Amino acid sequence: SAKEQGMELNRFAHAMQMKAQERLQLENDLRKALDRGQFYLVYQPQVNLQSGLVVGMEALVRWQHPQRGSVSPADFIPLAEESGLIVPLGEWVLREACAQNKQWQEAGYRKLCVSVNLSMRQFRHSHLLDNINGILKETGLEPVWLELEITESMTFDKDRSFEQLRKIKEIGVHISIDDFGTGYSSLHYLKDLPIDRLKIDRSFVNEVMEDSNNAAIVSTITSMAHHLQLKVTAEGVENEDQMVFLRNQHCHEAQGYFFSKPIKAAEFEKQFLRDVDK
Ligand code: C2E
Ligand code: CA
Ligand code: CA
Ligand code: CA
């Protein structure tokens, strides 16, 4: 009936309002979280498939919310991006990751490269270069031990992104294209982009053994990367079969639960740095 429909609509409006309120609440909490020290980083090892050695790690942010517990970055990164909070948060992540990497190097462990994700707003921000330079100086980390991950969609504005990437490369920091294959990169300008690495999205890697289309995509991206003289990393490697397939394709590096989930710094040090050949 019309009355039932009206009630249904009401419930819907109410649910929407709740969603909006909850969102607002989360955004308020997010605003305070940085000052209150509720963020921390976890690290996921990146393994060279020929040598089997850990050669790097990706830093991923976590938010320990006082009531909600651990909030997924999938939930708060978009919110931080929309509200602009991603700029100070991203700067904190970069500083923390560089400081940690430098600390491990000072401890005498074999040197690794740390990868940090950049969001669109951060990448476009006019202070990005100053921030990177400042943080490298402050922490003492040499630029070659830092890699910044951007996504294909961030390179749409060709002239602007070229200029920004060129300046980052000039510092000596590496750049990789994250989630490669899920965006709409024009191959025409991929060949000219000043980047070092493609990271094959985990959606292709996940079912590489079950779906021959995925296998074809993975091997095509890998061989293209070789031809363009780019490094290539496979994300989301969850089992040995996938790892062997990738190694046979001459994919350089891999990352995924097969090697390790992202873990806290102390745990990473224990598992992948301490007592491992220096
Ligand atoms: P991403 O950059 O593509 O990071 C990889 C995600 O895949 C991580 O999720 C990681 O935990 C997950 N993962 C790694 N190996 C496997 C695997 O074998 N199987 C499966 N199913 N998943 C795997 P996480 O940590 O939840 O991060 C989600 C996304 O949030 C990231 O995707 C990234 O886009 C964003 N993010 C995380 N930290 C930061 C940050 O500090 N800054 C920015 N701008 N974005 C971040
Ligand atoms: Ca990433
Ligand atoms: Ca990714
Ligand atoms: Ca992603």
Side-chain angles (χ1 to χ4, degrees), residues 41-42 44 58-62 72-74 76-77 81 86 89-90 93-94 116-120 122 149 151 154 178-179 199 201-202 206 235-238 242 255-258 260-262:
L41 296 185
V42 286
Q44 186 175 41
E58 179 171 1
L60 295 151
V61 70
R62 293 290 178 267
S72 162
F76 71 85
I77 293 288
E81 176 82 12
I86 193 71
L89 173 59
V93 169
L94 190 61
V116 174
N117 293 283
L118 282 192
S119 77
M120 180 70 129
Q122 252 184 306
E149 301 191 358
T151 58
M154 297 189 204
D178 201 2
D179 304 342
K199 293 187 77 176
D201 190 72
R202 72 163 187 262
N206 264 344
E235 298 190 297
V237 177
E238 294 188 357
Q242 294 166 354
Q255 200 182 327
Y257 295 169
F258 176 63
S260 169
K261 289 198 168 183

